[in-house]
Amino acid sequence: NMTRTCNLTCRHCYMNSDPKAYEGELNTEEALTFIQSLADFRVPVLLFSGGEPLIRPDFFTLAEAAARLEIRPTLSTNGTLIDRATAHRLKDMGVGYVGISLDGLEPVHDAFRCQQGAFRRAMEGIEHCVAVGQRVGLRFTINRHNYADIPRILDLMEEACIDRICFYHLVYSGRGSEMMKEDV
């Protein structure tokens, strides 16, 4: 989790992330030192997550450093900040996989993300990744509000040429702890 800052305020966020700056995060130099120590330990893959990792101004600096050190960078994102240029850059720098969180179809997803249009922007991010040949898949946290959407999500995956989905359990921390009774 490279930052707690996020452009969304998801009701099930395990980090209580909000669109604000947080103290105590590694600066660029500290993060580069950490990545170097991972390379020294021969860590094969580094998953950049958050908050929203693409909101960090030095994301590409850090991910490119990992790639140079032969650590395959991967990304867990809400997808809303991936335009075509970003998708190209991710592909060109060797990002092995982009996991984009989707919490159901549009009404359910937007309600979970507490922002109208979040579903549409996430789908655009997916479409940009698919268009440039960047491996992309869905990250789906199952709960009582979205499990009925799963068959239609699988149809959506086929239509959008998304070949991977990972199902997750609700994490009972942060705002997610307030949803314990809404889990399956």
Side-chain angles (χ1 to χ4, degrees), residues 11 103 108 112 143-149 179 182 184:
R11 60 181 299 253
D103 299 308
V108 172
F112 267 91
N143 60 70
R144 290 184 187 203
H145 302 285
N146 65 7
Y147 74 91
D149 281 355
M179 291 185 57
E182 300 169 59
V184 289

Side-chain angles (χ1 to χ4, degrees), residues 84 87-88 90-91 95-96 126-136:
R84 186 64 56 99
H88 269 293
L90 293 168
K91 170 76 173 166
V95 168
I126 291 166
E127 291 165 6
H128 292 309
C129 287
V130 169
V132 303
Q134 172 61 57
R135 284 189 66 218
V136 64

Side-chain angles (χ1 to χ4, degrees), residues 70-91:
E70 298 182 7
I71 301 173
R72 183 175 45 132
T74 59
L75 176 62
S76 177
T77 175
N78 63 39
T80 62
L81 303 177
I82 300 177
D83 58 16
R84 186 64 56 99
T86 300
H88 269 293
R89 192 162 180 195
L90 293 168
K91 170 76 173 166

Side-chain angles (χ1 to χ4, degrees), residues 26-181:
L26 299 179
N27 64 36
T28 303
E29 183 179 323
E30 291 167 333
L32 289 170
T33 299
F34 176 71
I35 292 169
Q36 179 62 60
S37 69
L38 295 176
D40 294 344
F41 280 105
R42 297 185 181 172
V43 169
V45 177
L46 177 57
L47 173 64
F48 290 92
S49 187
E52 173 51 51
L54 291 173
I55 212 163
R56 233 183 111 128
D58 62 355
F59 166 77
F60 285 103
T61 299
L62 301 176
E64 287 167 347
R68 272 194 313 279
L69 293 167
E70 298 182 7
I71 301 173
R72 183 175 45 132
T74 59
L75 176 62
S76 177
T77 175
N78 63 39
T80 62
L81 303 177
I82 300 177
D83 58 16
R84 186 64 56 99
T86 300
H88 269 293
R89 192 162 180 195
L90 293 168
K91 170 76 173 166
D92 291 346
M93 67 186 285
V95 168
Y97 175 73
V98 175
I100 296 182
S101 298
L102 212 59
D103 299 308
L105 298 174
E106 189 166 6
V108 172
H109 180 80
D110 284 357
F112 267 91
R113 299 291 160 162
C114 299
Q115 191 172 108
Q116 284 296 114
F119 178 86
R120 178 186 47 76
R121 291 192 339 265
M123 288 303 300
E124 288 171 358
I126 291 166
E127 291 165 6
H128 292 309
C129 287
V130 169
V132 303
Q134 172 61 57
R135 284 189 66 218
V136 64
L138 300 183
R139 301 170 65 83
F140 191 98
T141 300
I142 300 172
N143 60 70
R144 290 184 187 203
H145 302 285
N146 65 7
Y147 74 91
D149 281 355
I150 292 173
R152 289 179 294 180
I153 289 292
L154 296 174
D155 292 338
L156 175 82
M157 289 177 62
E158 191 172 335
E159 293 164 13
C161 300
I162 305 165
D163 60 5
R164 180 177 176 177
I165 188 168
C166 297
F167 292 101
Y168 295 94
H169 294 282
L170 183 64
V171 176
Y172 299 146
S173 68
R175 288 189 291 270
S177 65
E178 299 168 17
M179 291 185 57
M180 290 174 72
K181 293 181 181 175

